[in-house]
Amino acid sequence: MRINKIFGELSFNQKVMEERLSSETYQNFMETLHIGKPLDRSLADNLAHSMKVWAIEQGATHFTHWFQPLRGGTAEKHDAFISYNENGHLIEHFSGSQLIQSEPDASSFPSGGIRSTFEARGYTAWDPSSEVFLLESGHSKTLVIPSVFLSWTGMVLDHKTPFLRSHLALENSVIRLQRLLGNRHAKRVIVHMGLEQEYFLVPKDLYLKRRDLQITGRTLFGLPAAKGQQMEDHYLGTIKPKVLLFMEELDQQLYRLGIPAKTRHNEVAPNQFEIAPLFEEGNRAIDHNLQIMNLMEIIADKHGLTCLLHEKPFQGINGSGKHLNWSIGDNTGSNYLEPSASPLKNITFLMTLSAILLGVHKYGGLLRASVADAGNDLRLGSNEAPPAIMSVYLGSYLTKLLEDIEDSKAFNEKKISEISLGIRRLPMIQRDTSDRNRTSPIAFTGNKFEFRAAGSSQNCSESATVINLMLTYGFDYVYKELSIMSGDSKQNALKIIKSILSNTKDIRFEGNNYDDQWVIEAQKKGLPYYKQTPHSLEELTKEETIKLYKNYGVLSKTELESKKEIRLDHYCKTKINEFKTAVNLCHSQILPCVEEYISEISDILLKLKELEKESPAMQDKLEILLKNYEEIQKSINFIEEQLIHLSQIANFDAKAKEIHSKLEPSFIQLRGLVDSTEKIIPGSLWPLPSYQDLLSRF
Ligand code: ADP
Ligand code: MG
């Protein structure tokens, strides 16, 4: 396989457009994309026609608007390219208006009370900044149109819209500031993102025997395998042939879709892997990540495997995250986080850094809330993922450089070039991996930041939106300060940077984020520390959050309130689903198995008695089993009672907190009982494939 021979063959990309569109249509479309020229009807018709012809040539029969509802995942409704002509004959048809807009019924998507069902109409609108592509499943193909999803009244119902709006806000504030600094070339802001995706693969036949995995995405019971990850022999180990076959097919499909899959490797936990494409423009990187997740599940299935994207499929074993590598630059090709030989560019570097520090300092809690959900609660703050406290790691060299700026009395030309020289040495220093801190949630890694707290199954738009807004806030602060100062703008900028550096020190942390001492220290500093989702989501409706989203035209107060409600509801539903599944598993599989073994042992003990023999060890085992049986039964009775009580609580906030404070501890207790029972029951009787089976068979 030659990658560049197949790369992008399923995508209606720039190359295809150049070949197929008239030069006028192509030119007009590029202007729409790059300078925001409105997409008029005739342009849309021309584009739609060209897409239809291309798609049908490739074997497509249908098209779909593909969007990102707030419930998670992606959504699609396929329509065939057919219509009647004026003579009533069936023709192949796809118009500009069908390309631009579609009207799926929105009543079954979460809206957090924004819409009542009688006005349930929603609409999807094409996002032309993300490539249209062909979905291959079944025997035909479907033309997929990446879209935003709004209610008929214009309320936001998806993840993509706020992200695109936050990018616009960031762009406006960056360009304004660059102008003030004398940069006339920057016209568009480009955010690059590289998303590293972790996942597990398990044999499909075993997956099908575990209802908890099927229904909740994670194991609700299970005794840690004798060989867990203590040996640390999986990370970057030889990739087993069966897994490599899966990875190869995945990569090949991704190349055909124009997704630049770059890295594939074994991760730390047994059966855990990672895929990372090359970085791309942020909006595309997110859409591509969603495509990757969808494809991984489909392709794994073809290989007799099941791909688990849950944040914590196995207790006691590392969970899966999604690292968001992030940098910002403009149309001139410059990366503001890339050190350079030009002192002016290095001022931009320091300003970008300051904007990030200011943003995290003010909105760290909100950033934490962006990754809060039931799955990630099981991962954040364990000794494998960053804690739920947002801090920034800069590395010792950059820290020293910033301290030097803070200590400076004056910023004359000599000092500025000294600082500039220091910044230029950065990439060399940062490339030295010994200077990297893998425990930090937000780490500077040479010419980008890496945000490591996102969960493996999440849509990264949520955190990327917060990051964009945090920076917008930071850049605007710098702009306001700078615009009221007179004199040399470089020196003024350094003065502002200096004050930001000393005011945001609390959120800089270079040590081990897994250390309990850091949690104590951070709490002393007053940094937000939300261990669990229900509390963390309070950030969404705080006054400063509402102001931030409103000022930058991203979401209204009502939309934020509804977002909070949707996410709380999602948390509650996820947890309730887990509790119900656990109880059902106990009723249908665990307790009958315990009964069977109790009866087996009792029979043996009876026979021994007949032979006038006894086995105290077996007698003890029987006692333990009987005790566990009673305890499990009591525990599920309690959970069932609590579930009835919970169904009477209408307020999502109260419900989520009740789940966290009452039901979760009871479930943990139940799990403890079941797991200790698994330990004494023969593997041949235990009804669920064990961790050992699930994690050792490639
Ligand atoms: P790691 O050591 O964490 O595996 P890598 O250097 O391999 O980091 O990069 C991880 C991800 O970061 C990849 O998707 C890569 O393309 C992306 N990346 C690299 N440079 C940038 C950048 N300037 N902006 C955004 N993402 C980047
Ligand atoms: Mg990595």
Side-chain angles (χ1 to χ4, degrees):
M1 170 184 64
R2 290 284 296 272
I3 297 176
N4 59 4
K5 282 251 157 58
I6 57 169
F7 195 79
E9 68 182 26
L10 293 176
S11 117
F12 194 76
N13 54 28
Q14 205 157 333
K15 194 165 142 256
V16 180
M17 284 190 254
E18 258 180 69
E19 281 165 16
R20 291 182 166 248
L21 300 174
S22 71
S23 61
E24 193 195 343
T25 305
Y26 179 76
Q27 207 52 44
N28 279 343
F29 185 51
M30 289 303 129
E31 281 172 16
T32 302
L33 282 188
H34 298 321
I35 52 175
K37 213 175 112 179
L39 189 106
D40 67 35
R41 185 58 198 266
S42 79
L43 176 58
D45 278 336
N46 288 336
L47 285 164
H49 176 74
S50 175
M51 278 178 199
K52 182 193 75 178
V53 174
W54 172 78
I56 290 174
E57 273 171 25
Q58 315 277 323
T61 52
H62 288 68
F63 69 93
T64 179
H65 277 225
W66 181 68
F67 57 100
Q68 305 169 16
L70 291 168
R71 63 160 193 227
T74 56
E76 60 197 42
K77 172 178 149 254
H78 299 195
D79 276 301
F81 287 122
I82 53 168
S83 181
Y84 290 120
N85 68 5
E86 56 275 20
N87 303 324
H89 298 310
L90 196 83
I91 52 161
E92 282 174 334
H93 177 78
F94 180 52
S95 67
S97 60
Q98 285 174 310
L99 166 65
I100 295 177
Q101 196 168 314
S102 170
E103 291 173 32
D105 179 4
S107 58
S108 301
F109 290 102
S111 68
I114 281 182
R115 256 163 326 116
S116 29
T117 354
F118 64 86
E119 47 182 31
R121 283 196 304 165
Y123 70 93
T124 52
W126 178 33
D127 162 24
S129 59
S130 186
E131 272 163 17
V132 166
F133 62 94
L134 289 170
L135 174 75
E136 276 187 311
S137 61
H139 295 299
S140 62
K141 296 191 178 90
T142 301
L143 182 73
V144 182
I145 304 159
S147 302
V148 296
F149 181 42
L150 304 165
S151 82
W152 202 248
T153 52
M155 291 283 193
V156 173
L157 297 175
D158 71 345
H159 286 295
K160 196 191 242 294
T161 309
F163 172 69
L164 292 176
R165 289 180 180 170
S166 70
H167 181 83
L168 272 182
L170 177 63
E171 183 161 75
N172 289 338
S173 76
V174 169
I175 301 295
R176 187 170 77 151
L177 181 56
Q178 286 295 316
R179 287 283 177 283
L180 193 62
L181 288 166
N183 177 353
R184 268 186 291 281
H185 302 293
K187 293 195 168 66
R188 275 189 303 125
V189 162
I190 294 157
V191 167
H192 278 136
M193 284 170 32
L195 301 177
E196 301 168 57
Q197 173 74 48
E198 292 178 341
Y199 61 97
F200 279 86
L201 289 174
V202 293
K204 186 176 156 189
D205 56 333
L206 298 183
Y207 167 83
L208 291 175
K209 290 188 186 138
R210 290 218 50 147
R211 235 183 300 152
D212 49 356
L213 270 181
Q214 288 178 65
I215 298 174
T216 70
R218 71 175 179 115
T219 54
L220 297 175
F221 304 119
L223 200 60
K227 177 179 177 293
Q229 64 190 53
Q230 313 88 325
M231 315 285 283
E232 293 182 343
D233 53 355
H234 194 256
Y235 186 63
L236 303 191
T238 312
I239 304 172
K240 295 278 163 53
K242 192 171 170 64
V243 174
L244 200 53
L245 283 175
F246 155 80
M247 289 177 167
E248 276 174 2
E249 186 174 342
L250 175 64
D251 282 351
Q252 182 165 359
Q253 278 306 321
L254 295 176
Y255 296 141
R256 295 181 68 217
L257 285 160
I259 301 175
K262 169 81 173 162
T263 316
R264 58 191 190 202
H265 65 80
N266 287 4
E267 255 302 330
V268 173
N271 288 35
Q272 192 188 30
F273 309 92
E274 181 180 299
I275 175 167
L278 285 177
F279 66 88
E280 301 178 276
E281 186 280 313
N283 184 35
R284 275 178 196 217
I286 293 173
D287 283 3
H288 283 171
N289 176 252
L290 294 167
Q291 284 175 256
I292 292 174
M293 290 197 285
N294 286 344
L295 263 178
M296 283 202 298
E297 288 179 338
I298 295 168
I299 294 174
D301 195 65
K302 279 167 66 182
H303 288 253
L305 302 167
T306 298
C307 175
L308 305 177
L309 289 167
H310 193 282
E311 280 71 19
K312 192 80 177 176
F314 305 99
Q315 184 170 286
I317 289 172
N318 274 15
S320 301
K322 179 144 50 200
H323 292 181
L324 195 166
N325 294 271
W326 188 97
S327 67
I328 177 170
D330 61 42
N331 52 301
T332 64
S334 64
N335 171 0
Y336 296 166
L337 291 170
E338 180 93 53
S340 127
S342 136
L344 179 63
K345 284 194 176 157
N346 287 337
I347 297 276
T348 294
F349 169 82
L350 289 173
M351 259 177 345
T352 308
L353 209 60
S354 306
I356 292 170
L357 292 172
L358 257 183
V360 177
H361 191 257
K362 179 136 174 105
Y363 297 106
L366 184 62
L367 184 61
R368 191 276 174 250
S370 74
V371 295
D373 65 22
N376 223 11
D377 277 359
L378 299 166
R379 191 181 77 97
L380 287 186
S382 331
N383 268 355
E384 48 162 296
I389 301 163
M390 294 297 121
S391 67
V392 179
Y393 167 84
L394 296 174
S396 54
Y397 182 82
L398 185 53
T399 302
K400 255 199 246 105
L401 193 78
L402 298 187
E403 277 166 3
D404 181 37
I405 296 173
E406 261 191 271
D407 294 341
S408 291
K409 298 241 161 27
F411 296 110
N412 48 30
E413 281 304 316
K414 184 168 161 280
K415 185 74 205 167
I416 294 174
S417 54
E418 234 176 69
I419 293 171
S420 200
L421 202 71
I423 294 176
R424 257 183 285 159
R425 292 196 53 219
L426 256 170
M428 262 159 26
I429 312 286
Q430 293 294 106
R431 233 171 265 142
D432 174 6
T433 47
S434 63
D435 201 29
R436 289 188 175 192
N437 181 339
R438 295 258 159 212
T439 69
S440 173
I442 309 160
F444 180 69
T445 49
N447 61 356
K448 61 179 162 68
F449 269 91
E450 189 169 341
F451 177 58
R452 305 196 177 110
S456 48
S457 69
Q458 292 175 345
N459 182 326
C460 265
S461 305
E462 202 72 21
S463 356
T465 301
V466 175
I467 295 175
N468 282 350
L469 289 179
M470 280 179 354
L471 259 98
T472 311
Y473 163 80
F475 281 127
D476 277 0
Y477 175 89
V478 176
Y479 176 86
K480 275 181 211 131
E481 294 287 304
L482 203 57
S483 56
I484 52 171
M485 290 163 99
S486 55
D488 183 79
S489 65
K490 273 185 282 180
Q491 296 193 18
N492 289 343
L494 279 170
K495 280 185 206 144
I496 297 165
I497 289 163
K498 177 176 161 163
S499 89
I500 294 176
L501 293 178
S502 55
N503 292 338
T504 57
K505 268 216 168 99
D506 281 354
I507 48 118
R508 270 155 62 188
F509 182 61
E510 300 291 305
N512 178 5
N513 291 64
Y514 298 168
D515 197 338
D516 291 341
Q517 201 49 44
W518 164 233
V519 176
I520 298 170
E521 202 183 310
Q523 279 175 305
K524 267 195 215 141
K525 289 177 175 185
L527 301 190
Y529 179 38
Y530 303 105
K531 278 199 213 160
Q532 303 291 331
T533 298
H535 300 96
S536 157
L537 291 179
E538 282 168 13
E539 285 281 337
L540 290 182
T541 46
K542 274 193 169 166
E543 212 166 299
E544 60 249 40
T545 306
I546 293 173
K547 226 166 94 189
L548 180 77
Y549 276 80
K550 189 166 165 276
N551 284 354
Y552 293 122
V554 174
L555 290 175
S556 66
K557 182 170 181 238
T558 318
E559 285 165 327
L560 279 167
E561 282 165 351
S562 93
K563 187 189 267 295
K564 178 177 162 192
E565 197 175 303
I566 290 168
R567 291 185 54 192
L568 280 170
D569 184 30
H570 190 262
Y571 173 85
C572 294
K573 284 189 177 134
T574 308
K575 292 314 256 184
I576 291 172
N577 196 24
E578 288 181 356
F579 302 141
K580 285 188 174 162
T581 307
V583 167
N584 285 347
L585 270 179
C586 286
H587 281 310
S588 66
Q589 292 186 283
I590 311 283
L591 288 178
C593 163
V594 183
E595 284 159 19
E596 197 179 328
Y597 194 45
I598 285 176
S599 125
E600 238 176 64
I601 297 190
S602 313
D603 284 351
I604 299 173
L605 285 170
L606 269 179
K607 286 204 183 100
L608 287 176
K609 210 171 173 187
E610 281 165 19
L611 300 168
E612 293 183 357
K613 295 248 185 310
E614 60 180 30
S615 163
M618 210 174 285
Q619 190 65 48
D620 283 352
K621 208 186 240 186
L622 181 65
E623 296 304 327
I624 295 172
L625 282 169
L626 284 168
K627 188 165 155 281
N628 283 6
Y629 186 87
E630 290 306 312
E631 296 284 325
I632 291 173
Q633 188 61 60
K634 247 194 264 165
S635 183
I636 51 183
N637 288 348
F638 180 76
I639 292 178
E640 280 175 330
E641 269 166 36
Q642 288 295 314
L643 282 170
I644 293 171
H645 167 65
L646 211 59
S647 64
Q648 287 148 5
I649 305 177
N651 178 294
F652 290 110
D653 202 18
K655 200 169 184 159
K657 286 185 179 141
E658 184 86 359
I659 286 175
H660 170 58
S661 62
K662 287 228 180 79
L663 272 134
E664 184 68 10
S666 327
F667 165 70
I668 291 172
Q669 192 206 12
L670 174 65
R671 173 166 193 156
L673 286 166
V674 172
D675 290 356
S676 66
T677 310
E678 181 183 350
K679 207 185 225 164
I680 43 178
I681 291 197
S684 55
L685 277 189
W686 193 249
L688 305 171
S690 66
Y691 274 25
Q692 191 81 44
D693 294 335
L694 283 161
L695 296 172
S696 64
R697 214 182 71 182
F698 289 131

